[in-house]
Short mmCIF file of all heavy atoms in Angstrom, two decimals:
data_model
loop_
_atom_site.label_atom_id
_atom_site.label_comp_id
_atom_site.label_asym_id
_atom_site.label_seq_id
_atom_site.Cartn_x
_atom_site.Cartn_y
_atom_site.Cartn_z
N GLN A 1 125.72 -69.21 -7.62
CA GLN A 1 125.35 -69.93 -6.42
C GLN A 1 123.85 -69.44 -6.04
O GLN A 1 123.50 -68.30 -6.00
CB GLN A 1 126.29 -69.55 -5.29
CG GLN A 1 125.83 -69.86 -3.91
CD GLN A 1 127.00 -69.58 -2.97
OE1 GLN A 1 128.10 -69.72 -3.23
NE2 GLN A 1 126.53 -68.96 -1.86
N ASP A 2 123.05 -70.46 -5.76
CA ASP A 2 121.60 -70.18 -5.35
C ASP A 2 121.36 -70.61 -3.95
O ASP A 2 121.81 -71.74 -3.53
CB ASP A 2 120.79 -71.05 -6.28
CG ASP A 2 119.34 -70.77 -6.12
OD1 ASP A 2 118.86 -69.79 -5.73
OD2 ASP A 2 118.60 -71.88 -6.59
N GLU A 3 120.85 -69.60 -3.16
CA GLU A 3 120.55 -69.86 -1.77
C GLU A 3 119.17 -69.45 -1.37
O GLU A 3 118.78 -68.32 -1.73
CB GLU A 3 121.68 -69.29 -0.84
CG GLU A 3 121.79 -67.93 -0.98
CD GLU A 3 123.01 -67.28 -0.18
OE1 GLU A 3 124.15 -67.55 -0.68
OE2 GLU A 3 122.81 -66.55 0.69
N THR A 4 118.60 -70.21 -0.55
CA THR A 4 117.24 -69.79 0.05
C THR A 4 117.09 -70.20 1.51
O THR A 4 117.42 -71.37 1.87
CB THR A 4 116.14 -70.49 -0.81
OG1 THR A 4 116.32 -70.18 -2.23
CG2 THR A 4 114.78 -70.00 -0.37
N TRP A 5 116.63 -69.36 2.38
CA TRP A 5 116.34 -69.67 3.72
C TRP A 5 114.89 -69.86 3.87
O TRP A 5 114.04 -69.22 3.25
CB TRP A 5 116.75 -68.42 4.64
CG TRP A 5 118.23 -68.35 5.01
CD1 TRP A 5 119.12 -67.60 4.35
CD2 TRP A 5 118.84 -69.13 6.06
NE1 TRP A 5 120.34 -67.79 5.02
CE2 TRP A 5 120.25 -68.72 6.02
CE3 TRP A 5 118.49 -70.07 7.00
CZ2 TRP A 5 121.26 -69.22 6.84
CZ3 TRP A 5 119.40 -70.49 7.90
CH2 TRP A 5 120.69 -70.14 7.87
N ASP A 6 114.55 -70.90 4.65
CA ASP A 6 113.15 -71.28 4.91
C ASP A 6 113.22 -71.55 6.51
O ASP A 6 113.52 -72.70 6.96
CB ASP A 6 112.65 -72.45 4.19
CG ASP A 6 111.19 -72.70 4.50
OD1 ASP A 6 110.47 -71.93 5.15
OD2 ASP A 6 110.84 -73.80 4.10
N GLY A 7 112.91 -70.49 7.25
CA GLY A 7 112.97 -70.66 8.75
C GLY A 7 114.39 -70.90 9.14
O GLY A 7 115.22 -70.05 8.76
N ASP A 8 114.72 -71.91 9.74
CA ASP A 8 116.15 -72.33 10.16
C ASP A 8 116.77 -73.19 9.23
O ASP A 8 117.80 -73.89 9.54
CB ASP A 8 116.16 -72.94 11.55
CG ASP A 8 115.79 -71.94 12.59
OD1 ASP A 8 115.78 -70.68 12.47
OD2 ASP A 8 115.17 -72.36 13.72
N THR A 9 116.35 -73.29 7.95
CA THR A 9 116.99 -74.30 7.02
C THR A 9 117.36 -73.44 5.79
O THR A 9 116.72 -72.71 5.22
CB THR A 9 116.01 -75.21 6.47
OG1 THR A 9 115.55 -76.05 7.65
CG2 THR A 9 116.61 -76.25 5.62
N LEU A 10 118.72 -73.66 5.36
CA LEU A 10 119.33 -72.96 4.32
C LEU A 10 119.48 -74.10 3.18
O LEU A 10 120.11 -75.10 3.38
CB LEU A 10 120.69 -72.39 4.66
CG LEU A 10 121.52 -71.88 3.50
CD1 LEU A 10 120.87 -70.70 2.87
CD2 LEU A 10 122.90 -71.54 3.99
N SER A 11 118.96 -73.73 1.98
CA SER A 11 119.12 -74.70 0.88
C SER A 11 119.95 -73.92 -0.16
O SER A 11 119.70 -72.71 -0.39
CB SER A 11 117.76 -74.98 0.18
OG SER A 11 116.87 -75.66 1.24
N PHE A 12 120.88 -74.47 -0.73
CA PHE A 12 121.72 -73.88 -1.76
C PHE A 12 122.36 -74.99 -2.68
O PHE A 12 122.30 -76.26 -2.48
CB PHE A 12 122.85 -73.15 -0.97
CG PHE A 12 123.82 -73.99 -0.25
CD1 PHE A 12 125.05 -74.34 -0.78
CD2 PHE A 12 123.50 -74.29 1.07
CE1 PHE A 12 125.95 -75.10 0.01
CE2 PHE A 12 124.51 -75.03 1.78
CZ PHE A 12 125.65 -75.54 1.25
N ASN A 13 122.77 -74.51 -3.77
CA ASN A 13 123.37 -75.31 -4.77
C ASN A 13 124.87 -74.83 -4.86
O ASN A 13 125.16 -73.63 -4.79
CB ASN A 13 122.83 -75.15 -6.14
CG ASN A 13 121.33 -75.75 -6.15
OD1 ASN A 13 121.04 -76.83 -5.67
ND2 ASN A 13 120.42 -74.89 -6.64
N LEU A 14 125.77 -75.71 -5.19
CA LEU A 14 127.16 -75.40 -5.51
C LEU A 14 127.68 -76.20 -6.61
O LEU A 14 127.18 -77.25 -7.06
CB LEU A 14 127.97 -75.67 -4.28
CG LEU A 14 128.03 -77.10 -3.58
CD1 LEU A 14 129.27 -77.78 -3.91
CD2 LEU A 14 127.79 -76.90 -2.17
N ARG A 15 128.80 -75.72 -7.19
CA ARG A 15 129.35 -76.47 -8.37
C ARG A 15 130.78 -76.65 -8.12
O ARG A 15 131.53 -75.90 -7.48
CB ARG A 15 129.31 -75.42 -9.62
CG ARG A 15 127.86 -75.30 -10.13
CD ARG A 15 127.91 -74.58 -11.44
NE ARG A 15 128.50 -75.32 -12.50
CZ ARG A 15 128.02 -76.28 -13.22
NH1 ARG A 15 126.86 -76.89 -12.84
NH2 ARG A 15 128.69 -76.79 -14.13
N ALA A 16 131.19 -77.86 -8.44
CA ALA A 16 132.65 -78.33 -8.34
C ALA A 16 132.92 -79.18 -9.47
O ALA A 16 132.11 -80.09 -9.77
CB ALA A 16 132.90 -78.84 -7.04
N LEU A 17 134.09 -79.15 -10.01
CA LEU A 17 134.48 -80.05 -11.11
C LEU A 17 133.45 -80.12 -12.27
O LEU A 17 133.23 -81.12 -12.76
CB LEU A 17 134.71 -81.47 -10.57
CG LEU A 17 135.80 -81.57 -9.46
CD1 LEU A 17 135.75 -82.92 -8.87
CD2 LEU A 17 137.20 -81.19 -9.85
N GLY A 18 132.81 -78.88 -12.56
CA GLY A 18 131.80 -78.94 -13.60
C GLY A 18 130.50 -79.69 -13.27
O GLY A 18 129.69 -79.83 -14.29
N GLN A 19 130.31 -80.07 -11.98
CA GLN A 19 129.00 -80.74 -11.51
C GLN A 19 128.39 -79.84 -10.55
O GLN A 19 128.90 -79.09 -9.89
CB GLN A 19 129.48 -82.10 -10.92
CG GLN A 19 130.18 -83.06 -11.77
CD GLN A 19 129.33 -83.57 -12.82
OE1 GLN A 19 128.33 -84.23 -12.53
NE2 GLN A 19 129.90 -83.52 -14.11
N SER A 20 127.06 -80.05 -10.40
CA SER A 20 126.26 -79.45 -9.47
C SER A 20 125.79 -80.25 -8.30
O SER A 20 125.62 -81.53 -8.54
CB SER A 20 124.94 -78.77 -10.17
OG SER A 20 125.20 -77.83 -11.07
N ALA A 21 125.70 -79.63 -7.27
CA ALA A 21 125.35 -80.56 -5.99
C ALA A 21 124.34 -79.57 -5.19
O ALA A 21 124.44 -78.38 -5.14
CB ALA A 21 126.51 -80.87 -5.13
N ALA A 22 123.32 -80.18 -4.68
CA ALA A 22 122.35 -79.50 -3.87
C ALA A 22 122.58 -79.86 -2.43
O ALA A 22 122.96 -81.02 -2.06
CB ALA A 22 120.91 -80.08 -4.22
N ALA A 23 122.48 -78.86 -1.61
CA ALA A 23 122.77 -79.05 -0.10
C ALA A 23 121.72 -78.33 0.75
O ALA A 23 121.04 -77.32 0.26
CB ALA A 23 124.18 -78.51 0.17
N ARG A 24 121.55 -78.85 1.93
CA ARG A 24 120.65 -78.24 2.87
C ARG A 24 121.27 -78.23 4.20
O ARG A 24 121.89 -79.27 4.63
CB ARG A 24 119.34 -79.19 2.96
CG ARG A 24 117.93 -78.40 3.06
CD ARG A 24 116.91 -79.45 2.93
NE ARG A 24 117.09 -80.38 3.99
CZ ARG A 24 116.13 -80.68 4.95
NH1 ARG A 24 115.03 -80.00 4.89
NH2 ARG A 24 116.32 -81.47 5.88
N ILE A 25 121.20 -77.02 4.95
CA ILE A 25 121.75 -76.98 6.36
C ILE A 25 120.57 -76.63 7.23
O ILE A 25 119.94 -75.56 6.99
CB ILE A 25 122.86 -75.97 6.37
CG1 ILE A 25 124.04 -76.30 5.44
CG2 ILE A 25 123.35 -75.84 7.79
CD1 ILE A 25 125.08 -75.30 5.24
N GLU A 26 120.32 -77.45 8.20
CA GLU A 26 119.30 -77.15 9.08
C GLU A 26 120.00 -76.71 10.43
O GLU A 26 120.88 -77.42 10.99
CB GLU A 26 118.51 -78.40 9.45
CG GLU A 26 117.40 -78.14 10.40
CD GLU A 26 116.51 -79.31 10.69
OE1 GLU A 26 116.75 -80.44 9.95
OE2 GLU A 26 115.64 -79.24 11.43
N VAL A 27 119.72 -75.54 10.93
CA VAL A 27 120.31 -74.98 12.15
C VAL A 27 119.41 -75.39 13.29
O VAL A 27 118.23 -75.08 13.46
CB VAL A 27 120.35 -73.40 12.17
CG1 VAL A 27 121.00 -72.96 13.34
CG2 VAL A 27 121.07 -72.98 10.90
N LEU A 28 120.03 -76.35 14.14
CA LEU A 28 119.41 -76.87 15.33
C LEU A 28 119.89 -76.03 16.51
O LEU A 28 120.75 -75.13 16.48
CB LEU A 28 119.69 -78.29 15.55
CG LEU A 28 119.37 -79.13 14.32
CD1 LEU A 28 119.94 -80.54 14.32
CD2 LEU A 28 117.89 -79.13 14.11
N GLU A 29 119.31 -76.36 17.82
CA GLU A 29 119.71 -75.57 18.85
C GLU A 29 121.20 -75.60 19.26
O GLU A 29 121.79 -74.53 19.47
CB GLU A 29 118.96 -76.04 20.12
CG GLU A 29 119.15 -75.19 21.43
CD GLU A 29 118.26 -75.49 22.42
OE1 GLU A 29 117.16 -76.24 22.26
OE2 GLU A 29 118.43 -75.12 23.61
N HIS A 30 121.79 -76.74 19.14
CA HIS A 30 123.26 -76.79 19.49
C HIS A 30 124.05 -77.46 18.37
O HIS A 30 125.14 -77.89 18.60
CB HIS A 30 123.44 -77.66 20.81
CG HIS A 30 122.76 -77.03 21.96
ND1 HIS A 30 123.24 -75.92 22.54
CD2 HIS A 30 121.66 -77.27 22.64
CE1 HIS A 30 122.50 -75.62 23.64
NE2 HIS A 30 121.42 -76.36 23.66
N SER A 31 123.58 -77.53 17.14
CA SER A 31 124.33 -78.26 16.16
C SER A 31 123.66 -77.87 14.78
O SER A 31 122.73 -77.16 14.71
CB SER A 31 124.34 -79.70 16.33
OG SER A 31 123.01 -80.23 16.29
N LEU A 32 124.37 -78.38 13.77
CA LEU A 32 123.90 -78.18 12.43
C LEU A 32 123.58 -79.63 11.85
O LEU A 32 124.47 -80.57 12.05
CB LEU A 32 124.86 -77.54 11.51
CG LEU A 32 125.24 -76.13 11.89
CD1 LEU A 32 126.35 -75.56 10.96
CD2 LEU A 32 124.09 -75.15 11.77
N ARG A 33 122.59 -79.76 10.97
CA ARG A 33 122.48 -80.86 10.11
C ARG A 33 122.71 -80.55 8.65
O ARG A 33 122.06 -79.61 8.11
CB ARG A 33 121.14 -81.51 10.34
CG ARG A 33 120.99 -82.80 9.46
CD ARG A 33 119.55 -83.31 9.55
NE ARG A 33 119.39 -84.34 8.53
CZ ARG A 33 118.60 -85.32 8.58
NH1 ARG A 33 117.87 -85.51 9.63
NH2 ARG A 33 118.60 -86.22 7.78
N ILE A 34 123.64 -81.14 8.09
CA ILE A 34 124.06 -80.88 6.66
C ILE A 34 123.65 -82.11 5.74
O ILE A 34 124.16 -83.16 6.03
CB ILE A 34 125.45 -80.52 6.50
CG1 ILE A 34 125.70 -79.24 7.47
CG2 ILE A 34 125.93 -80.18 5.17
CD1 ILE A 34 127.32 -78.91 7.46
N ASP A 35 122.79 -81.91 4.78
CA ASP A 35 122.53 -82.97 3.84
C ASP A 35 123.00 -82.50 2.35
O ASP A 35 122.79 -81.37 2.03
CB ASP A 35 120.96 -83.22 3.74
CG ASP A 35 120.49 -83.78 5.03
OD1 ASP A 35 121.03 -84.84 5.44
OD2 ASP A 35 119.45 -83.29 5.46
N VAL A 36 123.81 -83.36 1.75
CA VAL A 36 124.29 -83.00 0.39
C VAL A 36 123.90 -84.14 -0.57
O VAL A 36 124.15 -85.24 -0.25
CB VAL A 36 125.75 -82.76 0.54
CG1 VAL A 36 126.28 -82.35 -0.91
CG2 VAL A 36 126.20 -81.74 1.57
N SER A 37 123.35 -83.69 -1.73
CA SER A 37 123.11 -84.69 -2.79
C SER A 37 124.19 -84.54 -3.83
O SER A 37 124.23 -83.55 -4.46
CB SER A 37 121.77 -84.44 -3.29
OG SER A 37 120.79 -84.74 -2.32
N LEU A 38 125.03 -85.52 -4.04
CA LEU A 38 126.10 -85.39 -4.98
C LEU A 38 125.90 -86.33 -6.14
O LEU A 38 125.46 -87.47 -6.01
CB LEU A 38 127.36 -85.81 -4.25
CG LEU A 38 127.94 -85.01 -3.01
CD1 LEU A 38 129.08 -85.74 -2.45
CD2 LEU A 38 128.25 -83.65 -3.31
N PRO A 39 126.24 -85.73 -7.36
CA PRO A 39 126.23 -86.62 -8.51
C PRO A 39 127.55 -87.61 -8.43
O PRO A 39 128.30 -87.32 -7.54
CB PRO A 39 126.48 -85.62 -9.69
CG PRO A 39 126.95 -84.43 -9.08
CD PRO A 39 126.53 -84.43 -7.70
N TRP A 40 127.50 -88.69 -9.14
CA TRP A 40 128.55 -89.65 -8.84
C TRP A 40 129.88 -89.17 -8.93
O TRP A 40 130.81 -89.60 -8.18
CB TRP A 40 128.30 -90.97 -9.85
CG TRP A 40 128.57 -90.64 -11.26
CD1 TRP A 40 127.78 -90.03 -12.15
CD2 TRP A 40 129.85 -90.70 -11.94
NE1 TRP A 40 128.49 -89.96 -13.40
CE2 TRP A 40 129.80 -90.20 -13.23
CE3 TRP A 40 131.18 -91.14 -11.54
CZ2 TRP A 40 130.78 -90.23 -14.07
CZ3 TRP A 40 132.18 -91.17 -12.40
CH2 TRP A 40 131.97 -90.76 -13.66
N LEU A 41 130.21 -88.28 -9.79
CA LEU A 41 131.61 -87.86 -9.97
C LEU A 41 132.01 -87.09 -8.69
O LEU A 41 133.14 -87.24 -8.18
CB LEU A 41 131.70 -86.93 -11.15
CG LEU A 41 133.14 -86.29 -11.50
CD1 LEU A 41 134.03 -87.40 -11.70
CD2 LEU A 41 133.09 -85.34 -12.68
N LEU A 42 131.10 -86.27 -8.17
CA LEU A 42 131.53 -85.50 -6.90
C LEU A 42 131.56 -86.40 -5.66
O LEU A 42 132.31 -86.32 -4.86
CB LEU A 42 130.54 -84.42 -6.69
CG LEU A 42 130.59 -83.23 -7.62
CD1 LEU A 42 129.59 -82.18 -7.30
CD2 LEU A 42 131.88 -82.57 -7.74
N ALA A 43 130.72 -87.44 -5.79
CA ALA A 43 130.76 -88.43 -4.55
C ALA A 43 132.11 -89.09 -4.55
O ALA A 43 132.60 -89.38 -3.45
CB ALA A 43 129.57 -89.52 -4.77
N LYS A 44 132.72 -89.46 -5.70
CA LYS A 44 133.91 -90.07 -5.71
C LYS A 44 135.04 -89.15 -5.18
O LYS A 44 136.04 -89.81 -4.63
CB LYS A 44 134.37 -90.51 -7.11
CG LYS A 44 133.48 -91.58 -7.74
CD LYS A 44 133.88 -91.98 -9.08
CE LYS A 44 134.55 -93.23 -9.24
NZ LYS A 44 135.10 -94.35 -9.00
N ALA A 45 134.86 -87.92 -5.20
CA ALA A 45 135.79 -86.92 -4.73
C ALA A 45 135.44 -86.32 -3.44
O ALA A 45 135.97 -85.19 -3.06
CB ALA A 45 136.15 -85.87 -5.91
N ALA A 46 134.42 -86.83 -2.69
CA ALA A 46 133.79 -86.22 -1.62
C ALA A 46 134.82 -85.96 -0.49
O ALA A 46 134.69 -84.80 0.20
CB ALA A 46 132.70 -87.10 -1.13
N LYS A 47 135.74 -86.85 -0.20
CA LYS A 47 136.67 -86.49 0.79
C LYS A 47 137.49 -85.22 0.67
O LYS A 47 137.80 -84.43 1.49
CB LYS A 47 137.68 -87.71 1.08
CG LYS A 47 136.98 -88.87 1.69
CD LYS A 47 138.15 -89.89 2.05
CE LYS A 47 137.36 -91.11 2.68
NZ LYS A 47 138.32 -92.10 3.10
N ARG A 48 137.85 -85.06 -0.67
CA ARG A 48 138.54 -83.79 -0.93
C ARG A 48 137.69 -82.59 -0.94
O ARG A 48 138.09 -81.43 -0.82
CB ARG A 48 139.29 -83.89 -2.32
CG ARG A 48 140.39 -84.95 -2.41
CD ARG A 48 141.01 -84.94 -3.64
NE ARG A 48 140.00 -85.18 -4.65
CZ ARG A 48 140.21 -85.68 -5.93
NH1 ARG A 48 141.33 -86.01 -6.24
NH2 ARG A 48 139.21 -85.81 -6.70
N LEU A 49 136.34 -82.75 -1.19
CA LEU A 49 135.48 -81.60 -1.17
C LEU A 49 134.90 -81.21 0.10
O LEU A 49 134.33 -80.09 0.29
CB LEU A 49 134.24 -82.01 -2.17
CG LEU A 49 134.64 -82.13 -3.63
CD1 LEU A 49 133.42 -82.66 -4.42
CD2 LEU A 49 135.26 -80.84 -4.20
N LEU A 50 135.02 -82.06 1.10
CA LEU A 50 134.40 -81.66 2.38
C LEU A 50 134.97 -80.38 3.00
O LEU A 50 134.17 -79.64 3.51
CB LEU A 50 134.57 -82.90 3.39
CG LEU A 50 133.61 -84.02 3.13
CD1 LEU A 50 133.91 -85.20 4.08
CD2 LEU A 50 132.11 -83.65 3.32
N PRO A 51 136.25 -80.17 2.96
CA PRO A 51 136.73 -78.77 3.49
C PRO A 51 136.04 -77.70 2.67
O PRO A 51 135.80 -76.67 3.37
CB PRO A 51 138.21 -78.85 3.24
CG PRO A 51 138.52 -80.32 3.22
CD PRO A 51 137.35 -81.00 2.68
N ALA A 52 135.95 -77.76 1.39
CA ALA A 52 135.31 -76.63 0.68
C ALA A 52 133.96 -76.56 1.07
O ALA A 52 133.41 -75.32 1.18
CB ALA A 52 135.47 -76.91 -0.82
N LEU A 53 133.13 -77.61 1.21
CA LEU A 53 131.73 -77.56 1.67
C LEU A 53 131.69 -76.98 2.99
O LEU A 53 130.74 -76.14 3.24
CB LEU A 53 131.15 -79.03 1.59
CG LEU A 53 129.74 -78.97 2.08
CD1 LEU A 53 128.80 -78.17 1.13
CD2 LEU A 53 129.21 -80.45 2.14
N ARG A 54 132.55 -77.30 3.91
CA ARG A 54 132.44 -76.66 5.29
C ARG A 54 132.70 -75.16 5.28
O ARG A 54 132.00 -74.42 5.84
CB ARG A 54 133.48 -77.32 6.26
CG ARG A 54 133.03 -78.66 6.67
CD ARG A 54 134.05 -79.20 7.68
NE ARG A 54 133.75 -80.50 8.02
CZ ARG A 54 134.37 -81.66 7.72
NH1 ARG A 54 135.49 -81.43 7.06
NH2 ARG A 54 134.02 -82.85 7.98
N LYS A 55 133.61 -74.77 4.42
CA LYS A 55 133.89 -73.33 4.18
C LYS A 55 132.64 -72.63 3.65
O LYS A 55 132.35 -71.58 4.12
CB LYS A 55 135.17 -73.16 3.41
CG LYS A 55 135.53 -71.72 3.14
CD LYS A 55 136.75 -71.55 2.31
CE LYS A 55 137.05 -70.19 1.96
NZ LYS A 55 138.17 -70.04 1.03
N GLU A 56 132.15 -73.19 2.55
CA GLU A 56 130.96 -72.61 1.87
C GLU A 56 129.83 -72.40 2.88
O GLU A 56 129.16 -71.35 3.06
CB GLU A 56 130.65 -73.31 0.77
CG GLU A 56 129.45 -72.70 -0.17
CD GLU A 56 130.00 -71.48 -0.81
OE1 GLU A 56 131.13 -71.24 -0.98
OE2 GLU A 56 129.06 -70.70 -1.22
N ALA A 57 129.51 -73.55 3.69
CA ALA A 57 128.42 -73.53 4.60
C ALA A 57 128.68 -72.43 5.74
O ALA A 57 127.79 -71.71 6.11
CB ALA A 57 128.27 -74.89 5.24
N THR A 58 129.86 -72.32 6.23
CA THR A 58 130.21 -71.32 7.15
C THR A 58 130.00 -69.85 6.64
O THR A 58 129.31 -69.00 7.26
CB THR A 58 131.64 -71.43 7.66
OG1 THR A 58 131.90 -72.74 8.22
CG2 THR A 58 132.00 -70.36 8.71
N LEU A 59 130.44 -69.58 5.34
CA LEU A 59 130.21 -68.34 4.74
C LEU A 59 128.76 -67.97 4.57
O LEU A 59 128.32 -66.89 4.84
CB LEU A 59 130.95 -68.27 3.44
CG LEU A 59 132.41 -68.32 3.51
CD1 LEU A 59 133.00 -68.34 2.08
CD2 LEU A 59 132.92 -67.06 4.11
N LEU A 60 127.96 -68.95 4.09
CA LEU A 60 126.54 -68.77 4.01
C LEU A 60 125.75 -68.51 5.29
O LEU A 60 124.96 -67.68 5.33
CB LEU A 60 125.93 -70.05 3.23
CG LEU A 60 126.29 -70.21 1.74
CD1 LEU A 60 125.84 -71.45 1.28
CD2 LEU A 60 125.77 -69.06 0.91
N LEU A 61 126.12 -69.25 6.31
CA LEU A 61 125.57 -69.06 7.62
C LEU A 61 125.87 -67.74 8.17
O LEU A 61 125.06 -67.09 8.91
CB LEU A 61 125.98 -70.17 8.52
CG LEU A 61 125.36 -71.50 8.25
CD1 LEU A 61 125.94 -72.60 9.05
CD2 LEU A 61 123.87 -71.47 8.42
N GLU A 62 127.08 -67.15 7.98
CA GLU A 62 127.43 -65.90 8.51
C GLU A 62 126.64 -64.65 7.88
O GLU A 62 126.59 -63.67 8.37
CB GLU A 62 128.97 -65.63 8.31
CG GLU A 62 129.82 -66.63 9.28
CD GLU A 62 131.31 -66.45 9.04
OE1 GLU A 62 131.68 -65.85 7.98
OE2 GLU A 62 131.96 -67.02 9.91
N LYS A 63 126.19 -65.01 6.69
CA LYS A 63 125.36 -63.92 5.95
C LYS A 63 123.98 -63.59 6.58
O LYS A 63 123.49 -62.48 6.49
CB LYS A 63 125.09 -64.37 4.56
CG LYS A 63 126.28 -64.28 3.57
CD LYS A 63 125.94 -64.59 2.05
CE LYS A 63 127.04 -64.53 1.25
NZ LYS A 63 126.60 -64.88 -0.02
N LYS A 64 123.39 -64.64 7.34
CA LYS A 64 122.10 -64.45 7.86
C LYS A 64 122.01 -63.34 8.87
O LYS A 64 122.77 -63.10 9.72
CB LYS A 64 121.50 -65.73 8.44
CG LYS A 64 120.11 -65.60 8.85
CD LYS A 64 119.45 -66.83 9.21
CE LYS A 64 118.01 -66.50 9.50
NZ LYS A 64 117.25 -67.59 10.04
#
């Protein structure tokens, strides 16, 4: 897993089902903005992957 903070934005990569996805989380005053770029295979399974993405994002944010 690769993660980089730039100010209030966390960029990271994750792997699922043998595929890689790039994600970015921007910490705003009262919310988060999450952008994820999924390859087609992961996009088809996105509904099942959202809970894992939320968990991973929470863990990464707690590290800061």
Side-chain angles (χ1 to χ4, degrees):
Q1 167 177 319
D2 185 23
E3 58 188 68
T4 305
W5 279 98
D6 182 15
D8 291 335
T9 301
L10 173 64
S11 299
F12 62 98
N13 295 310
L14 55 106
R15 291 191 59 79
L17 304 173
Q19 302 286 309
S20 294
R24 219 174 59 121
I25 301 173
E26 183 179 358
V27 180
L28 305 169
E29 188 172 342
H30 297 287
S31 61
L32 297 174
R33 178 183 170 153
I34 301 174
D35 294 310
V36 182
S37 298
L38 299 173
W40 70 270
L41 182 61
L42 293 181
K44 292 182 110 354
K47 284 186 180 182
R48 292 183 306 203
L49 296 174
L50 284 176
L53 177 59
R54 285 187 185 111
K55 180 181 176 183
E56 186 71 19
T58 300
L59 291 172
L60 290 171
L61 289 169
E62 288 175 351
K63 287 183 179 181
K64 184 171 184 187

